[in-house]
Structure formats: structure tokens, C-alpha cells
Amino acid sequence: MQIELDILNFIQKNMYYDILTTILRIISYMGNIGFIWIIIAILFILIKKYRKIGITMCIGLILCLIIGNGILKPLIARTRPYDLEINSNMQIQIEKPNDYSFPSGHTLAAFTSALIILLYNKKIGIFALILATLMAFSRLYFYVHFPTDVLGGIIFGILFAFISKWIVKRYIDNDNKYRN
């Protein structure tokens, strides 16, 4: 855990700038409850050409909610970095999350969604991955997650993206009413 705190403290001491704080605060806020990813999924569903991406994203976000937030967070019950006694004076620049730390829900939803987009559309997917990466970094920048929380979000996000695509291919692609 000390290495993780060293990483967070390095970010705090060496990368903290007002403009970056403003930008990352907006990006982090967009990830609250998967907000931006839910909106993007809905927009994709409404556009026939991208409907399959939107449906796959919805499945992925449901996996994030059930497995990530519903099972893993309470099961692992990891304290957030700012809640540690040694960090009791830490000033948090965003609203403090009130759930557990592992895995990072923002990172989980972001990487699940971004990878799904990338699997179907490389051009849009690259932009989505950049946003997901910034969102993941924001969680470290604001001292609300340990690096392994973010890493766990990335790993589970990759897994959920592939599971979601498999579910769509296996169960939905065979149903003509959902085809593009």
C-alpha cells in the first residue's frame, strides 16, 4: 500500500495545476453513475448504424453495476485513500464518494464502454479510450482511488467488454429485430 500512496502523493505534488484540476473535475463528474457512458449508449441505440454498439454498451454497464458495484465493492470493502488515518487532513477537490474503493466504478464503466466502442468502431473507439484514460487518471488525481483500484477497473472493464460482445453475438445477433 505504501507504493500506491507514494504514487498518489507524487501526482499531488507534481501534477496539480488549476487548469488540469478544472478539466479533470469535469471529466470525473461525467463519469458519476456512468452518466456519459449511459448517454452515449442511448445515442448509439437511437442511430440504427450504431445500435449494436449501444445495446452492447448497455449490457456492459449492467455488468459493471451488478458485478462491480453490487458484488465486488462490498465484498472487498477497501477503504479509500483519503479515509486513511495518515490522510485525515487531505483536501478532496471533488465530492467524496460514499462507497468502497475497489474497483474504481468510473474506470470500470469507462473502460467497458470505450473498449466496446473500439471493438465495433476503431475511429470513435480511440476517442472513447482517451476519455476513459483521462477519467481513470482523474480518480488518482483527486485521491479517491488507489492505483490498483483503477487497474482493477481497467482489467474488469476489458473482461466485461468482451463478455458483453459475446452475449450480443450469441443471443441478440440471431434475433432479426435487433440487427442494424
Side-chain angles (χ1 to χ4, degrees):
M1 182 176 324
Q2 187 56 49
I3 292 172
E4 293 192 87
L5 288 172
D6 290 343
I7 292 168
L8 293 176
N9 291 329
F10 176 84
I11 291 169
Q12 290 288 307
K13 290 177 185 166
N14 297 295
M15 298 180 180
Y16 218 82
Y17 300 99
D18 289 340
I19 187 70
L20 186 58
T21 300
T22 301
I23 292 167
L24 291 178
R25 186 179 288 132
I26 292 166
I27 290 171
S28 185
Y29 180 76
M30 290 185 333
N32 288 352
I33 65 167
F35 177 73
I36 190 67
W37 306 110
I38 293 168
I39 298 296
I40 292 170
I42 291 168
L43 291 173
F44 280 154
I45 288 170
L46 294 174
I47 302 168
K48 189 174 184 179
K49 178 180 177 181
Y50 298 113
R51 189 162 293 145
K52 191 186 294 188
I53 301 173
I55 291 169
T56 309
M57 284 178 69
C58 287
I59 292 168
L61 291 169
I62 290 168
L63 289 173
C64 292
L65 179 66
I66 294 170
I67 298 171
N69 289 356
I71 297 172
L72 291 175
K73 280 188 184 247
L75 181 67
I76 295 167
R78 187 176 196 190
T79 303
R80 290 186 181 269
Y82 61 76
D83 281 334
L84 297 175
E85 190 174 311
I86 59 172
N87 292 326
S88 60
N89 295 329
M90 178 64 62
Q91 295 283 331
I92 304 303
Q93 299 291 319
I94 59 172
E95 187 177 325
K96 288 183 177 183
N98 55 11
D99 59 351
Y100 292 111
S101 192
F102 184 90
S104 165
H106 280 69
T107 305
L108 178 60
F111 273 84
T112 299
S113 298
L115 185 57
I116 287 168
I117 295 168
L118 184 70
L119 289 171
Y120 287 104
N121 186 305
K122 291 201 183 346
K123 276 187 191 176
I124 301 171
I126 293 296
F127 290 109
L129 276 177
I130 291 168
L131 178 59
T133 301
L134 289 170
M135 198 169 285
F137 178 73
S138 78
R139 308 312 282 171
L140 301 173
Y141 185 86
F142 291 120
Y143 221 90
V144 295
H145 283 289
F146 292 101
T148 51
D149 300 336
V150 170
L151 182 61
I154 292 169
I155 291 168
F156 280 105
I158 291 167
L159 178 66
F160 292 172
F162 282 105
I163 290 171
S164 301
K165 187 169 184 198
W166 177 82
I167 289 170
V168 167
K169 185 175 183 175
R170 173 98 167 128
Y171 296 103
I172 296 177
D173 275 353
N174 295 328
D175 191 343
N176 288 330
K177 68 181 176 183
Y178 292 108
R179 289 189 185 218
N180 288 343

